Structures are given as C-alpha cells and as structure tokens.
C-alpha cells in the first residue's frame, strides 16, 4: 500500500467556466463540510495511481478538495499478480462479461481477503476511528468489513456496472455481496448499475468528472499539439516549428521527450491526414478489434476520405491493476496483421510511454485535440472518461450506445451513438457522417463542450461529494 501525494489547487480558474456565484457557493459548502468533519480525514482507496479512469477522477477531484482546505488523502493498495487476476475477473464480471472465465470460488475469495487484510493492516496505521474511507471498485470492496469494524464511515464507490441482471454480473455480485452488506453508502455512476439486492436507500448516483486544468485537458496551442505528436512519433509534421512543451502538474513548463512505440507499416500519418483516434486501456471491452472492423468497412466503401486510425493505449505494464493489457494488445496486433495491406497501412497501434504520467497525459491531450473524430467503441462502459475528455476538447465523438455513454451523449447533438456495437457497418456509417461534414463536427463539438461545462467538471463532483460527506457526518 502506498500514498499518492496530491497538491492543493485553488478553485478560482473555474470562475471563467461556471461563474463566480457557483464557485463561491462551493467554497461556502466546503466550509460547512469541514466543520462537520472536524479533525477527521477523508481517505480514498483504489488500486492504481495512473492509467485508468479512477485514477484520473481521483486526481481531478482531490486537488480541489485540498485547495478548499479539506483533509483528503489517497491510498493505493498493492498485491501480487494473482490478486489482480481475480480483481480483473471481477471487473469483467460486473460488466457482465466472462473475462478469462476463471473461477470466482472460495479459493479466490481466500486469496482476495488475505491480500486485502495485509493492505488493511497498513491502512490501519494511518487512519483514525471516525474517519471517512471511500473504497473504489471491486478491488477494494473486501476492505469494507475491516474498516467498519475499526469504526470508520465507509463509502463504496463503484465505477463500473451493467444494466439489470446477467449471468456473469450475478457471479461477480455473489462474490462481492458479503463485503458490501451493511455499507452505509454505495455510489454508482448510473441508477441502472445498482444491483437488485442492494438497498436503494443506501445507493447514490454520481457521474465522474474531469479536471479541465489538468495536463490531460488543459488548452494547447496547435503548434504545441504538432510538436508533441511529432516528438512522440505519432504524427509527421515539419520539424523545429515549436518545442513540444506542456504545463506540468507542478505548473512549470516541461517537454515531451519520449517516443511512443507504434506498430505500423510505414511512417506516421502526416499532419493534414484526418485522424480517427481511440485512446483506451488494452481491454477487450474497449473493442479495439470491432473498431478495426468498422474502419475497414469505411475504407472498403470506396470514395476515400483519406482518414487513418490511431488506437492508442498505455505502454505494456503501465496500469498496475490491469494484467490483461499485454495479451489484449497482442490480440489487437494479430487482428491488425490480418487486415489487407491497404487497410493496414492506415492503422497505427500506439503504446504511449507511462514512465512520466504528465508526459503521457500531454500525448493523450495532443492526440485528442488533433483527432478529427474521437471514438469510444466500447462493448461495455461504466462511464467513458475519454468521451468526456474529447467532448471538452470540442471533438466530434462516435461512441457505442452502452453503459454511461448513453447518459453522456445525446445522440446527434453532442456526438453520434452506435446502437449496435457488433455492427461494423453502423460504425463505418457514423465515421463517414462525421468525416464528411465539417459543419456537423463543429455543431456537435460546441454542444459537447457546453454539456461538459454544466455537468462533468470537477466543480460538479465537489458539490456532490460535499453533500455526501455532510450526509455521512450528519
Ligand atoms: N488514459 C491515459 N493514457 C493512456 C490510455 C488511457 O491517460 O495511454 C486515460 C484516458 O485519458 C482516461 C482514462 O485513462 O482518462 C480512461 O478512463 P475511461 O473511463 O475512458 O476508461 P477506464 O480505463 O476507466 O475503463
């Protein structure tokens, strides 16, 4: 178990986005929350410090909570690969997916509990009775009974889910249920994700947020975007135009120096090529292979739009709690190799370096900003942060109508939804519509940006979590 340091940030930059009155109201509420908390700390516990949606959400929330004077902290549990194989199986199950099909029986429960008991022993040294502890996702659910025994006020935050019952979802919930019985509050991203046996009175729905001022989402000039993508080897552009600079989390200028490891046939796409981009972990539920099929269909339809596809994700081993990544990347590479040469030339599989988290974020930011279309072709999605990130950047988004994405995008207004993710032709049609129409891209991009401003920025989450913490201590 280790602690992630998050530096405090002031809320003042949000004034220009949401107005002074709202920011002042949040500051007043924060004062009320602090008074109720007294000397207690709010702890967040998850299983990775980088590379997935949860880490992203935590960073973008905690820094402003700290800026408002709240005593909030972030702990990351650790465990052996066998533990993360079980938790990945659970993650897939809650999406009603069999994953690797491995058992979730007593043996797995024993290992899961042993690893969490070891982590809890370390957590116990830090926390004090009466603190609030927010445990994130199935990876940490087994901590809940221990923490409650210690007298903590526990919240379980579940970032994934499946609408209604399902064979695999039931398997996952059967495993987790005993740890969740009696938890005072559980937070889900959508009402439909609350399992039928969980008491409705203890379930709360809160969508996740993004930080518009993080390295991932901060404004970048076109010259910087060009320089970052060229240095990373993701796009080819005139050299020496500008330095690949971005503003790091420490507020100081930094430069991108690493190159992405890209599987491709020729060189990188040149700057003027329209790019279709998906950024996601190498996870079967992100349906990289389905997107390859949709993109192939698009190219097969003739009248060439000149587009190229970049599938970008973290470099191998970059996400601590995602052991399936390397295997999935290999599968995607095989699928790429099986494409016709004409299509293969247009597809790039990019592993983005994860050694420096800020540098990785700058690459993602630049890629999303340069994309003509950002795709999230998921088969399941609790709530797609990459979708929100692209919407914030006024990109045209094409995404599957699954899970939280259905709440994030009003079809035809803030992006295009693909109703049947298994239908490559539907994906191809949506891509074509967007690639062919600059007007549609601008209209949807503007609407998407407005939607994110009103609902999905850190300020919205601060309001909601402030209320929830007050509820816990009332
Ligand atoms: N991400 C990243 N680097 C990568 C790939 C993904 O920082 O190489 C980020 C991405 O920008 C987003 C998060 O990981 O912020 C993924 O969140 P999402 O909700 O889309 O999916 P999850 O990984 O939680 O299933």
């Amino acid at each position: 178990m280790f602690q992630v340091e998050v530096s405090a940030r002031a809320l003042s930059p949000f004034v220009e986005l949401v107005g002074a009155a709202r920011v002042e109201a949040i500051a007043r509420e924060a004062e009320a929350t602090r008074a109720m908390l007294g000397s207690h700390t709010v702890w967040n516990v998850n299983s990775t410090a980088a590379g997935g949606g949860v880490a992203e959400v935590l960073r973008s929330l905690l820094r402003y909570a700290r800026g408002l004077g709240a005593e909030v902290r972030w702990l990351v549990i650790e465990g052996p690969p066998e533990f993360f194989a079980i938790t990945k199986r659970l993650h897939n199950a809650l999406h009603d997916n069999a994953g690797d099909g491995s058992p979730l029986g007593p043996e797995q429960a024993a290992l899961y509990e042993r690893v969490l008991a070891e982590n809890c022993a370390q957590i116990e040294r830090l926390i004090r009775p009466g603190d609030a502890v927010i445990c994130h996702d199935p990876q940490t659910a087994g901590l809940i009974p221990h923490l409650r025994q210690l007298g903590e006020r526990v919240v379980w935050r579940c970032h994934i889910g499946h609408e209604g019952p399902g064979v695999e979802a039931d398997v996952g919930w059967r495993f987790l249920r005993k740890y969740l019985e009696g938890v005072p509050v559980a937070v889900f991203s959508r009402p439909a994700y609350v399992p039928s046996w969980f008491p409705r009175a203890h379930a709360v729905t809160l969508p996740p947020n993004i930080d518009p001022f993080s390295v991932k989402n901060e404004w970048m000039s076109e010259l910087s975007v060009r320089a970052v993508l060229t240095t990373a080897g993701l796009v080819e552009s005139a050299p020496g135009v500008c330095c690949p600079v971005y503003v790091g989390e420490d507020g100081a200028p930094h430069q991108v120096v690493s190159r992405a490891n890209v599987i491709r046939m020729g060189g990188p796409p040149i700057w003027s090529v329209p790019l279709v981009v998906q950024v996601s972990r190498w996870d079967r539920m992100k349906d990289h292979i389905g997107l390859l099929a949709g993109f192939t269909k698009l190219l097969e339809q003739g009248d060439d739009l000149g587009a190229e596809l970049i599938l970008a994700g973290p470099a191998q081993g970059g996400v601590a709690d995602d052991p399936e990544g390397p295997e999935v990347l290999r599968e995607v590479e095989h699928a790429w190799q099986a494409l016709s040469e004409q299509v293969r030339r247009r597809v790039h599989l990019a592993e983005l370096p994860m050694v420096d988290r800020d540098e990785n974020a700058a690459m993602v930011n630049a890629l999303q900003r340069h994309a003509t279309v950002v795709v999230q072709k998921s088969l399941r999605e609790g709530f797609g942060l990459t979708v929100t990130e692209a919407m914030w950047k006024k990109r045209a988004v094409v995404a599957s109508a699954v899970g939280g994405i259905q709440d994030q995008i009003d079809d035809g207004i803030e992006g295009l939804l693909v109703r049947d993710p298994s239908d490559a032709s539907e994906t191809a049609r949506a891509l074509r519509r967007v690639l062919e129409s600059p007007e549609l891209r601008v209209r949807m991009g503007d609407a998407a940006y407005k939607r994110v401003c009103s609902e999905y920025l850190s300020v919205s989450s601060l309001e909601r979590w402030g209320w929830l913490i007050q509820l816990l201590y009332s």
Side-chain angles (χ1 to χ4, degrees):
M1 197 265 318
F2 62 94
Q3 196 163 165
V4 181
E5 291 305 324
V6 182
S7 48
R9 274 210 186 170
L11 216 52
S12 43
F14 282 93
V15 169
E16 62 173 300
L17 295 177
V18 300
R22 189 162 166 201
V23 170
E24 281 158 20
I26 293 171
R28 276 196 305 278
E29 274 309 304
E31 230 175 277
T33 311
R34 275 205 319 268
M36 291 182 92
L37 269 171
S39 60
H40 291 301
T41 300
V42 180
W43 300 89
N44 283 270
V45 190
N46 84 321
S47 55
T48 184
V54 179
E56 203 67 30
V57 165
L58 281 177
R59 200 164 268 109
S60 69
L61 182 63
L62 300 192
R63 55 167 51 129
Y64 296 109
R66 289 182 75 83
L68 288 164
E71 191 49 35
V72 290
R73 308 234 157 231
W74 178 2
L75 304 176
V76 178
I77 57 162
E78 291 177 294
E82 311 84 78
F83 171 79
F84 287 118
I86 294 168
T87 60
K88 181 72 196 203
R89 173 74 175 93
L90 281 169
H91 171 98
N92 287 326
L94 292 203
H95 278 303
D96 196 36
N97 185 284
D100 65 3
S102 53
L104 281 173
E107 206 182 304
Q108 289 69 33
L111 176 77
Y112 175 80
E113 287 172 16
R114 180 175 58 72
V115 172
L116 288 176
E118 284 161 14
N119 277 279
C120 202
Q122 296 177 54
I123 294 173
E124 218 180 306
R125 288 188 216 124
L126 297 169
I127 57 179
R128 284 179 307 155
D131 282 354
V133 187
I134 304 164
C135 296
H136 294 261
D137 276 344
Q139 291 91 321
T140 64
L143 293 170
I144 292 172
H146 301 277
L147 294 167
R148 292 187 61 227
Q149 255 174 18
L150 294 169
E152 311 305 332
R153 297 174 199 232
V154 184
V155 176
W156 187 53
R157 185 6 171 162
C158 183
H159 295 264
I160 51 182
H162 174 70
E163 297 96 339
V167 174
E168 286 302 325
D170 288 350
V171 170
W173 287 124
R174 247 197 319 276
F175 186 99
L176 291 169
R177 184 169 173 168
K178 67 173 164 177
Y179 312 114
L180 301 171
E181 303 273 14
V183 67
V185 184
V187 180
F188 298 86
S189 298
R190 316 181 71 205
Y193 292 166
V194 184
S196 57
W197 51 267
F198 194 84
R200 287 291 179 277
H202 296 267
V204 171
T205 307
L206 302 182
N209 62 279
I210 62 161
D211 178 1
F213 306 109
S214 65
V215 179
K216 173 81 53 75
N217 297 310
E218 70 195 2
W219 182 80
M220 283 177 109
S221 70
E222 188 185 303
L223 285 181
S224 298
V225 169
R226 245 179 213 254
V228 166
L229 295 181
T230 307
T231 306
L234 292 164
V235 162
E236 192 178 309
S237 149
V241 184
C242 171
C243 289
V245 191
Y246 62 90
V247 180
E249 292 297 338
D250 57 3
H254 294 265
Q255 285 204 28
V256 165
V257 290
S258 309
R259 281 181 81 77
N261 179 33
V262 188
I263 298 165
R264 60 159 73 99
M265 275 190 77
I270 58 169
W271 177 257
S272 56
V273 161
L275 286 188
V276 177
V277 173
Q278 174 164 304
V279 178
S280 43
R281 287 177 300 104
W282 304 102
D283 181 317
R284 292 185 189 93
M285 239 91 74
K286 306 295 181 183
D287 200 22
H288 300 91
I289 294 179
L291 179 51
L292 285 181
F295 188 72
T296 303
K297 271 264 180 305
L298 174 78
L299 297 196
E300 282 170 359
Q301 286 166 353
D303 58 328
D304 197 347
L305 298 158
E308 301 198 16
L309 170 66
I310 299 186
L311 297 178
Q316 304 224 6
V319 186
D321 65 351
D322 191 4
E324 288 178 353
E327 192 185 325
V328 173
L329 176 57
R330 271 197 303 280
E331 289 168 12
V332 178
E333 185 180 351
H334 280 137
W336 173 80
Q337 264 154 358
L339 299 171
S340 71
E341 187 183 325
Q342 183 215 356
V343 179
R344 219 178 322 141
R345 282 194 179 284
R346 303 273 199 95
V347 178
H348 312 256
L349 310 182
E351 286 182 80
L352 307 182
M354 291 288 288
V355 180
D356 181 333
R357 200 175 46 77
D358 280 6
E359 187 188 54
N360 175 277
M363 288 182 193
V364 171
N365 192 352
L367 255 184
Q368 290 171 331
R369 285 185 189 278
H370 182 48
T372 305
V373 190
V374 172
V375 182
Q376 195 55 56
K377 175 66 190 60
S378 302
L379 300 172
R380 305 270 196 277
E381 195 65 71
F383 185 98
L385 272 196
T386 52
V387 169
T388 311
E389 288 160 5
M391 290 169 76
W392 163 249
K393 289 157 197 159
K394 298 192 177 181
R395 296 297 85 195
V397 179
V398 169
S400 307
V402 296
I405 295 175
Q406 301 163 92
D407 300 337
Q408 293 172 264
I409 292 179
D410 230 340
D411 190 20
I413 300 185
E414 293 131 355
L416 294 185
L417 291 181
V418 174
R419 297 277 155 200
D420 179 0
S422 67
D423 180 357
S425 304
E426 195 188 341
T427 302
R429 274 197 304 278
L431 290 176
R432 174 166 297 280
R433 260 185 83 189
V434 175
L435 286 165
E436 277 179 348
S437 171
E439 292 77 26
L440 179 65
R441 295 201 295 270
V442 170
R443 180 164 59 70
M444 292 197 307
D446 286 345
Y449 171 81
K450 284 196 192 114
R451 177 83 187 274
V452 173
C453 275
S454 69
E455 289 180 49
Y456 299 129
L457 296 182
S458 317
V459 275
S460 302
S461 278
L462 282 169
E463 289 163 342
R464 295 167 181 141
W465 278 100
W467 162 81
L468 193 61
I469 298 293
Q470 290 188 26
L471 195 75
L472 270 188
Y473 283 85
S474 57

